[in-house]
Amino acid sequence: MNEDVEFNKVRWRARRGMMELDVLLARWLERRWRQSPMAQRAVFLQLLDCEDDRLWRWLSGRESPDDPGLAALVDDIRNLPVRA
């Protein structure tokens, strides 16, 4: 699949309905997706399968995922600076 087509599909899938989640997920996509290895991309896609309320608890720091891969990705998303 063309890299741009895949990126656009994932970007569309990352849109949630909660502005805060949209901002955090889009920021990671824009800054990390293209240089991420396939394994990390797979973890991001796994993250997108989670419910919004769970995502928000994780990304707001109220809870942490039990899965170590998800936990590492959530930490990376949370710690991305607002400005690159």
Side-chain angles (χ1 to χ4, degrees), residues 4-5 14 17 19-20 24 27 31 33 44 49 52 54-58 61 66 71 79-80:
D4 290 332
V5 171
M19 185 178 65
E20 294 87 346
L24 290 168
R27 184 182 305 147
R31 296 186 191 171
W33 177 264
F44 186 79
D49 287 336
D52 289 356
R54 177 173 286 168
L55 281 176
W56 179 241
R57 288 192 307 268
W58 291 346
D66 292 331
N79 292 316
L80 274 176

Side-chain angles (χ1 to χ4, degrees), residues 6-7 11 16 26 32 40 46 61:
E6 179 185 20
F7 178 80
R11 182 171 42 188
R16 305 312 275 200
R32 298 275 205 262
Q40 190 172 33
Q46 181 184 354

Side-chain angles (χ1 to χ4, degrees), residues 3 6-8 10 27-38 40-42 44-45 48:
E3 183 77 18
E6 179 185 20
F7 178 80
N8 288 331
V10 173
R27 184 182 305 147
W28 189 89
L29 268 171
E30 292 294 331
R31 296 186 191 171
R32 298 275 205 262
W33 177 264
R34 286 186 169 92
Q35 55 270 22
S36 292
M38 294 304 290
Q40 190 172 33
R41 289 181 180 193
F44 186 79
L45 295 175
L48 295 181

Side-chain angles (χ1 to χ4, degrees), residues 47 55 58-59 63 65 69-79:
L47 185 74
L55 281 176
W58 291 346
L59 293 173
E63 294 179 9
L70 285 174
L73 179 60
V74 165
D75 285 343
D76 189 35
I77 292 170
R78 290 182 65 227
N79 292 316

